[in-house]
Amino acid sequence: MKKLPDLLLLGMLFLNLSRAENTVSVIDKLREDDWVCSFFNDVLNTQNRDTYYKYAPYYLENPEYEEDLTGERYPWYEGIWHPNFISISKGCKSLWIASHDYDIKKLSGNKVYIEISKERMLDNLDADKYVDLNWKLLNNKKKFTLIFEFDGDYVDIYVNNKKNFFATFCKYDITTYNQLKDLIKTNKCEPWMIEYPKRADGSIDYVSGTEHTGGHTMKKLASFPKI
């Protein structure tokens, strides 16, 4: 019986730690790594740059802007081209999702509460054309809540509740990221060097080349600027 208080104390400590883990700010999670649209898994798997146009037909329909994708002056992989990634401002006032800019009203755990002006709303509507995500869930809404569910190397994003799926982003190790960069720039890559991101349960969308070569370690990318 003498040990009961100690057990209770340990139990309370574990409960508090669990609660702390569950309330880690989405900002901290997003800043740990660089998150890109998960459709790049499909682009890598086909080993064909043109697969990207299925998700961003704007650049195929407007070839004069294709330099945004493949050009040397403003290449997407240097972080200037926005439609492929998600970022947050240093002061936690703005959230960028694939060329869309949202004003952060409040943060709570894995939720980001958004409230935007009509002018910003119109700018975001214009940006819908750059990449094919489920923008209709956000369009013409002055207020909404984005829910970020982190799952291994993935983050699934919902709007207001878990029934409204918006998009999935993922993170790559540096070797895979470089293969993606080469594929977008030159339409060539080394598939055996690609390691696809994994869910928390270890599942992957495609067979990784490194599954047969011993694998390599996930590293943080340094290519995308934190706005």
Side-chain angles (χ1 to χ4, degrees):
M1 295 298 294
K2 194 173 181 181
K3 293 183 178 180
L4 186 58
D6 292 336
L7 291 174
L8 289 174
L9 183 61
L10 286 172
M12 293 176 64
L13 179 61
F14 177 78
L15 182 61
N16 288 335
L17 288 173
S18 298
R19 286 175 176 171
E21 175 67 22
N22 292 333
T23 55
V24 170
S25 170
V26 65
I27 303 306
D28 297 328
K29 289 283 191 180
L30 290 177
R31 284 180 172 166
E32 285 175 3
D33 296 279
D34 297 296
W35 301 84
V36 300
C37 293
S38 63
F39 58 64
F40 282 114
N41 290 334
D42 189 22
V43 179
L44 281 168
N45 184 62
T46 60
Q47 300 171 47
N48 188 340
R49 180 176 64 203
D50 290 351
T51 303
Y52 172 76
Y53 296 124
K54 179 169 68 174
Y55 302 98
Y58 175 81
Y59 292 95
L60 186 61
E61 297 162 0
N62 299 271
E64 66 272 24
Y65 295 110
E66 191 178 13
E67 186 178 281
D68 289 349
L69 180 64
T70 60
E72 293 292 336
R73 192 165 61 125
Y74 298 123
W76 69 271
Y77 49 80
E78 294 299 336
I80 296 174
W81 186 75
H82 294 293
N84 66 332
F85 79 101
I86 183 169
S87 186
I88 202 147
S89 67
K90 290 182 179 179
C92 298
K93 296 184 180 295
S94 298
L95 176 71
W96 279 84
I97 301 180
S99 276
H100 293 62
D101 190 5
Y102 299 105
D103 299 324
I104 297 174
K105 182 181 180 183
K106 188 176 75 168
L107 299 166
S108 178
N110 67 338
K111 296 180 180 179
V112 179
Y113 298 88
I114 301 295
E115 184 171 339
I116 59 176
S117 65
K118 187 173 182 180
E119 182 180 0
R120 182 71 55 81
M121 196 184 303
L122 292 174
D123 290 340
N124 288 338
L125 282 171
D126 183 62
D128 285 1
K129 61 190 177 187
Y130 293 118
V131 65
D132 187 18
L133 296 179
N134 197 9
W135 300 117
K136 64 183 179 181
L137 288 175
L138 310 183
N139 288 346
N140 301 313
K141 290 184 173 67
K142 185 178 180 181
K143 298 179 181 181
F144 55 86
T145 301
L146 293 174
I147 304 170
F148 291 77
E149 291 291 333
F150 292 90
D151 183 7
D153 301 326
Y154 287 87
V155 58
D156 300 310
I157 306 173
Y158 301 86
V159 181
N160 294 331
N161 60 67
K162 296 289 287 293
K163 293 181 180 179
N164 298 322
F165 171 74
F166 168 62
T168 296
F169 285 71
C170 65
K171 57 183 178 181
Y172 294 123
D173 67 17
I174 193 65
T175 303
T176 302
Y177 178 72
N178 284 335
Q179 291 305 308
L180 176 61
K181 179 174 74 172
D182 290 344
L183 181 62
I184 296 296
K185 186 177 180 181
T186 68
N187 208 22
K188 295 178 182 179
C189 69
E190 299 292 344
W192 64 272
M193 298 182 70
I194 295 170
E195 183 171 352
Y196 292 98
K198 292 180 174 64
R199 292 281 180 177
D201 62 4
S203 61
I204 55 178
D205 292 331
Y206 303 99
V207 176
S208 295
T210 51
E211 292 293 307
H212 310 289
T213 58
H216 49 274
T217 306
M218 180 71 69
K219 297 178 182 177
K220 178 176 171 57
L221 302 180
S223 299
F224 298 148
K226 299 296 185 254
I227 336 177

